[in-house]
Structure formats: C-alpha cells, structure tokens
C-alpha cells in the first residue's frame, strides 16, 4: 500500500515537476503582465511566511515546498517545525488523506491515459517516437507500457530516474509535513481536489504536450545541471527567481500556459485560505513557484487584506 501511495503521489505532483522539466533551458522571464509587474515590489528571500490581520485572532503560516529533493539536500529547520506545531491544521495543494484513498488512486491511474484510444505514435513522427522509445528503454521502462499515457506526464517521468530504487534517494516535503502532522494528531486539508489537478492535463492539446515531451528529452543532457541550479535557488529561498523559472517561455516552456498552471490556481486558493485561517490557525504547504510574483499567493493575500511577513529561517537544525 505504501508503495502504491508514493507512486500515485508522485503522479499528482507532476503539475509542479512539469513546470521545471518542461522549461529547462527556457528563458526565465515572466509572461507579459506589464501593468501589474511595473508596480510590483519583489519579495525578500524566504520560504516561510506569517499571515496575520484581516480579522485573524492567531497567525497562520505559508511554506513553499519543492515537491522532490535529494535526501542530501533536504532541510527542516527548527523554526519550520515550531510554526508547524503552532498551527492546528496543515493544508496542501491536495489533501494527503484524499491521496491515500483507493478511489483517488484508481482515479489518478485512469486519468493518466489519453482519451479515445490515442497513443504517442499518433502524435509523433517515427523518428521522434524512436527518440522517446530509446530514452525510456535506457531507464528500464518499455514504452509499449506507457504509449497511452498523457505526454505531459511522460515529460515529467522522462526527467526522473524511475528504475529500481530510483526514487529512494529523494524526499517529499509534502510527505514529511503530512507525517509530522499525523504524529501531532492534527487534521489535514487541500486547496484543490485530485479532479481539479488532473483536469489541467486535459486542458492542453495532446499535440502540444507531445512537443513538451520532446523538448524535455532533448534537454535531458543539461537537466542535471538545471536541477542543481533549481535546488540552489530553493536553498537560497529565492522565491522570485523560482516563479520566473516556473513560467519560463520558449520551446516546450509553460509560459503560454502560465495562467492554467499557476495564476488561476493561485486565485482560486485565496478564498479557501481565507476561510481556513478564520476557522483555525493553518499551516499551508504549496509549491514554492506559487509564492512570488505579482500574481503569486503572497501578493494575492496582501490584496485580500492580510498582512504577510517573511519568517527568517536558517537551513540548519
């Protein structure tokens, strides 16, 4: 059961991962939002933020995660632990309890595949298909078993070592926080549902997704270096640069789909966050790429009347 839960969780995290894998090598520039960007003051470097004011009797907290990180790079400082304990609930992009249900597992598996019997062969030339086939064969994953999977999900898997034990050297902040919340006998919640996230993969044409897949494979030689840069930015708590990378434009980038991947979701979250914080102090853990920028969660919370302040957090114990 634990193995199935982990694999379906990684599948649900593809939304966050594809923002990086699809735009490796893309220009790190925010999509044109000239009117908003001109008046926007960049945020200071911090992954942890305190939310207060606007009628709240106790503060809540917002933490920017990175969905997968090498165990050697993982950090969970005392300040982060302290703020998590100070809250009465943890809220993720998707409720982790929902992710652990058998219904959600089958739903995710079922929606991972293209509709109407389409396959990757229908979307690629023979030469392109051979490139993809060779790439996955090297990972020990015969493409014949993945041929019907949505190309955007394959683009995520293309950058991961999914062979035997390939994920054993990684950690998930969501899973770590969820485990600690369970130890503290506190409830968890989600800002969106499994259906909400999976629907995004149906909003982008399969042909466009196939182009993202090809771009991801083409850039795989440099992706290790790109990943190292991403981790360094995360450790520097540079949320402004992280959001710029998340909406990188260019071939295979998600810039033209930034509203779908990030901005609309950020806007949808604010009413839910407002309600939850007024009910009880809540610890929010969402991808760090959602925090910064004029359309990021922090700026939207400020516009909604909340005071949002950076919490200084070293990376040590």
């Amino acid at each position: 059961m634990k193995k199935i839960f982990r694999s379906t969780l990684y599948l649900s995290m593809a939304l966050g991962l594809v923002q990086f894998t699809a735009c490796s090598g893309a220009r790190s520039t925010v999509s044109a939002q000239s009117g908003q960007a001109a008046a926007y003051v960049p945020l200071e470097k911090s992954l942890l933020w305190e939310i207060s004011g606007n009628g709240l009797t106790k503060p809540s907290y917002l933490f920017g995660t990175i969905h997968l990180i090498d165990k050697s790079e993982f950090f969970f400082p005392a300040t982060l632990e302290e703020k998590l304990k100070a809250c009465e609930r943890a809220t993720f992009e998707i409720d982790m309890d929902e992710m652990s249900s058998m219904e959600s597992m089958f739903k995710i598996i079922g929606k991972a595949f293209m509709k109407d019997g389409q396959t990757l062969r229908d979307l690629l030339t023979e030469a392109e298909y051979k490139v993809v086939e060779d790439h996955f064969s090297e990972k020990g994953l015969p493409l014949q078993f993945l041929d019907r999977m949505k190309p955007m999900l394959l683009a995520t898997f293309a950058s991961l070592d999914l062979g035997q034990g390939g994920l054993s050297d990684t950690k998930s902040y969501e899973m770590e926080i969820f485990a600690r919340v369970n130890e503290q006998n506190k409830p968890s919640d989600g800002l969106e549902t499994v259906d909400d996230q999976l629907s995004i993969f149906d909003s982008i044409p399969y042909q466009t997704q196939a182009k993202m897949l090809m771009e991801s494979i083409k850039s795989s030689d440099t992706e290790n270096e790109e990943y190292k840069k991403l981790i360094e930015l995360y450790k520097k708590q540079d949320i402004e640069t992280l959001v710029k990378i998340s909406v990188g434009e260019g071939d295979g980038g998600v810039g033209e789909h930034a509203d779908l991947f990030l901005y609309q979701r950020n806007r949808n979250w604010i009413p839910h966050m407002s309600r939850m914080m007024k009910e009880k102090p809540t610890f929010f853990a969402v991808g760090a790429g959602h925090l910064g920028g004029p359309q990021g969660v922090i700026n939207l919370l400020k516009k909604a009347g909340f005071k949002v302040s950076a919490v200084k957090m070293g990376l040590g114990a």
Side-chain angles (χ1 to χ4, degrees), residues 197 282 313:
Q197 286 208 353
T282 302
M313 181 183 70

Side-chain angles (χ1 to χ4, degrees), residues 142-278:
L143 193 56
Q144 65 189 51
F145 297 117
L146 306 172
D147 197 47
R148 289 189 54 235
M149 185 173 284
K150 292 172 183 175
M152 192 175 292
L153 292 176
L154 281 179
T156 301
F157 296 153
S159 66
L160 297 176
D161 180 6
L162 294 177
Q164 186 174 2
L167 291 173
S168 62
D169 292 330
T170 65
K171 293 199 74 168
S172 156
Y173 274 98
E174 285 81 1
M175 291 181 69
E176 182 68 24
I177 292 169
F178 184 58
R180 295 181 188 225
V181 166
N182 280 338
E183 289 173 1
Q184 297 167 22
N185 294 315
K186 295 177 181 178
S188 68
D189 211 326
L191 293 170
E192 51 194 18
T193 66
V194 170
D195 281 333
D196 291 334
Q197 286 208 353
L198 289 175
S199 67
I200 294 178
F201 293 102
D202 288 321
S203 301
I204 299 176
Y206 294 149
Q207 195 68 55
T208 302
Q209 293 189 34
K211 291 179 180 178
M212 289 182 174
L213 171 60
M214 291 304 301
E215 184 62 28
S216 178
I217 291 175
K218 288 176 183 176
S219 63
S220 61
D221 290 340
T222 60
E223 236 166 42
N224 190 46
E225 289 303 314
E226 294 292 335
Y227 175 73
K228 289 179 181 178
K229 291 177 184 177
L230 181 74
I231 297 300
E232 284 305 309
L233 286 171
Y234 186 74
K235 290 167 66 176
K236 290 177 181 177
Q237 306 186 57
D238 189 350
I239 58 175
E240 291 291 349
T241 303
L242 283 171
V243 72
K244 290 178 181 179
I245 289 176
S246 294
V247 296
E249 299 171 343
D251 292 340
V254 299
E256 64 183 296
H257 303 294
D259 195 70
L260 190 63
F261 277 103
L262 287 174
Y263 303 144
Q264 184 59 56
R265 295 172 67 210
N266 292 349
R267 292 190 292 269
N268 290 343
W269 292 351
I270 302 305
H272 298 303
M273 294 178 73
S274 299
R275 172 183 55 79
M276 290 179 184
M277 290 186 288
K278 290 174 181 177

Side-chain angles (χ1 to χ4, degrees), residues 19-316:
Q19 289 163 15
F20 168 65
T21 59
C23 62
S24 295
R27 292 184 289 119
S28 298
T29 55
V30 182
S31 298
Q33 302 287 337
S34 55
Q36 285 182 300
Y40 176 72
V41 178
L43 300 168
E44 58 186 291
K45 295 178 180 179
S46 179
L47 291 171
L48 182 61
W49 295 76
E50 180 180 279
I51 309 169
S52 60
N54 202 16
L56 299 184
T57 57
K58 293 182 180 179
S60 288
Y61 294 90
L62 172 65
F63 175 64
T65 69
I66 187 167
H67 295 311
L68 290 177
I69 189 171
D70 290 345
K71 286 182 178 178
S72 62
E73 303 281 4
F74 182 83
F75 57 91
F76 208 98
T79 303
L80 184 59
E81 179 71 34
E82 173 191 331
K83 301 308 181 185
L84 179 59
K85 287 182 178 179
C87 293
E88 299 176 16
R89 164 175 55 199
T91 294
F92 306 90
E93 293 181 23
I94 300 180
D95 187 358
M96 304 293 277
D97 275 328
E98 181 187 0
M99 284 302 306
S100 63
S101 72
M102 289 301 296
E103 180 183 355
S104 291
M105 290 180 188
F106 286 120
K107 185 182 296 183
I108 291 170
I109 294 171
K111 291 194 175 183
F113 300 100
M114 290 184 276
K115 298 178 181 178
D116 303 322
Q118 288 194 70
T119 69
L120 200 58
R121 284 190 181 276
D122 299 326
L123 304 171
L124 302 175
T125 66
E126 283 298 322
E128 289 173 333
Y129 189 88
K130 184 67 164 57
V131 170
V132 177
E133 187 175 42
D134 290 346
H135 182 83
F136 281 97
S137 291
E138 290 176 4
K139 292 179 175 290
L141 294 170
L143 193 56
Q144 65 189 51
F145 297 117
L146 306 172
D147 197 47
R148 289 189 54 235
M149 185 173 284
K150 292 172 183 175
M152 192 175 292
L153 292 176
L154 281 179
T156 301
F157 296 153
S159 66
L160 297 176
D161 180 6
L162 294 177
Q164 186 174 2
L167 291 173
S168 62
D169 292 330
T170 65
K171 293 199 74 168
S172 156
Y173 274 98
E174 285 81 1
M175 291 181 69
E176 182 68 24
I177 292 169
F178 184 58
R180 295 181 188 225
V181 166
N182 280 338
E183 289 173 1
Q184 297 167 22
N185 294 315
K186 295 177 181 178
S188 68
D189 211 326
L191 293 170
E192 51 194 18
T193 66
V194 170
D195 281 333
D196 291 334
Q197 286 208 353
L198 289 175
S199 67
I200 294 178
F201 293 102
D202 288 321
S203 301
I204 299 176
Y206 294 149
Q207 195 68 55
T208 302
Q209 293 189 34
K211 291 179 180 178
M212 289 182 174
L213 171 60
M214 291 304 301
E215 184 62 28
S216 178
I217 291 175
K218 288 176 183 176
S219 63
S220 61
D221 290 340
T222 60
E223 236 166 42
N224 190 46
E225 289 303 314
E226 294 292 335
Y227 175 73
K228 289 179 181 178
K229 291 177 184 177
L230 181 74
I231 297 300
E232 284 305 309
L233 286 171
Y234 186 74
K235 290 167 66 176
K236 290 177 181 177
Q237 306 186 57
D238 189 350
I239 58 175
E240 291 291 349
T241 303
L242 283 171
V243 72
K244 290 178 181 179
I245 289 176
S246 294
V247 296
E249 299 171 343
D251 292 340
V254 299
E256 64 183 296
H257 303 294
D259 195 70
L260 190 63
F261 277 103
L262 287 174
Y263 303 144
Q264 184 59 56
R265 295 172 67 210
N266 292 349
R267 292 190 292 269
N268 290 343
W269 292 351
I270 302 305
H272 298 303
M273 294 178 73
S274 299
R275 172 183 55 79
M276 290 179 184
M277 290 186 288
K278 290 174 181 177
E279 291 173 350
K280 62 181 67 175
T282 302
F283 186 95
F284 298 98
V286 302
H290 290 275
L291 269 56
Q295 299 190 69
V297 171
I298 292 173
N299 198 44
L300 293 177
L301 284 170
K302 289 180 178 179
K303 287 185 174 182
F306 295 98
K307 179 182 178 182
V308 190
S309 308
V311 177
K312 298 301 179 184
M313 181 183 70
L315 303 190

